[in-house]
Amino acid sequence: MNTANSYNILAISGSLREKSLNSALLRSVISMIPSQGTVVNYSEMAQLPHFNPDLDLDEIDTAVANWRKFLKEANGVLICTPEYAKGVPGSLKNVLDWVVSSGEFVNKPVAVISASPHPDGGAIANASLLGTLSMMSASVVEGGILTVPFINKKLGKNEEIIDAELRFNIENLLNALFQEINNNG
């Protein structure tokens, strides 16, 4: 894998479920990233308050400040989300709403994966997420978008990817993300 010499990737699961297949897939993807840099698996999404512009003041909630700091320090972002009710889960939308006006996503290299046990692979959530990221001027990398159908058949009992095509597609996605990080570096 062609990685950046020094990188700080922020990895975000769009699910709060303890046994989420998307969180399991994200952990498996993280394990595929070489160890020359840092990968932060963001785990504080549940602590964020519901977004309210009236609360977005000079002195913001600690969880919001931490979220923005993680995002600002990252030179690349990897998001893996399920689809819920034909859209992005509310918790992921909430975390994104907290940075719409603060600008941490502007020109930030981002790769997006949606995974589902259904045949469409979470395509509607993927499209919705891409629309939000585009509005925030994130740099969704070419080759950095992946929908994964039937995820329940592509992960082993230890969360390892057992599907060769999925592993290949994720390697390509990660290469595209690191290429963009190198280009921005």
Side-chain angles (χ1 to χ4, degrees):
M1 179 175 305
N2 181 20
T3 60
N5 292 335
S6 175
Y7 61 84
N8 182 7
I9 303 293
L10 181 61
I12 304 163
S13 172
S15 178
L16 297 176
R17 287 184 56 229
E18 186 177 323
K19 297 196 183 250
S20 162
L21 291 171
N22 275 268
S23 295
L25 176 59
L26 183 63
R27 287 188 294 271
S28 187
V29 172
I30 290 169
S31 75
M32 294 171 64
I33 298 173
S35 60
Q36 295 106 307
T38 304
V39 179
V40 174
N41 193 349
Y42 181 68
S43 61
E44 298 175 19
M45 192 162 46
Q47 282 115 24
L48 289 172
H50 295 290
F51 177 71
N52 177 346
D54 292 339
L55 300 177
D56 198 2
L57 308 167
D58 290 337
E59 292 187 34
I60 56 174
D61 181 90
T62 301
V64 174
N66 287 342
W67 158 236
R68 288 178 174 171
K69 181 177 184 273
F70 283 131
L71 190 53
K72 185 177 183 178
E73 291 175 352
N75 57 0
V77 178
L78 174 62
I79 301 173
C80 188
T81 188
E83 184 170 286
Y84 185 75
K86 297 290 183 187
V88 174
S91 53
L92 179 58
K93 181 66 168 90
N94 186 57
V95 78
L96 295 174
D97 285 347
W98 276 109
V99 293
V100 166
S101 64
S102 57
E104 287 85 2
F105 263 109
V106 174
N107 298 322
K108 183 83 60 179
V110 180
V112 174
I113 302 169
S114 63
S116 172
H118 300 286
D120 69 354
I124 294 172
N126 195 288
S128 175
L129 179 55
L130 291 171
T132 300
L133 291 169
S134 173
M135 192 281 315
M136 292 191 298
S137 299
S139 178
V140 178
V141 302
E142 187 175 333
I145 301 168
L146 181 62
T147 56
V148 183
F150 307 114
I151 186 60
N152 52 321
K153 297 178 180 179
K154 297 178 180 183
L155 291 177
K157 292 182 188 212
N158 296 319
E159 299 182 348
E160 75 279 9
I161 297 170
I162 57 174
D163 182 86
E165 181 181 0
L166 176 57
R167 179 170 286 283
F168 176 78
N169 289 337
I170 287 173
E171 287 172 355
N172 287 336
L173 177 136
L174 290 172
N175 281 329
L177 179 60
F178 282 112
Q179 181 65 44
E180 187 70 19
I181 290 169
N182 287 332
N183 291 343
N184 286 353

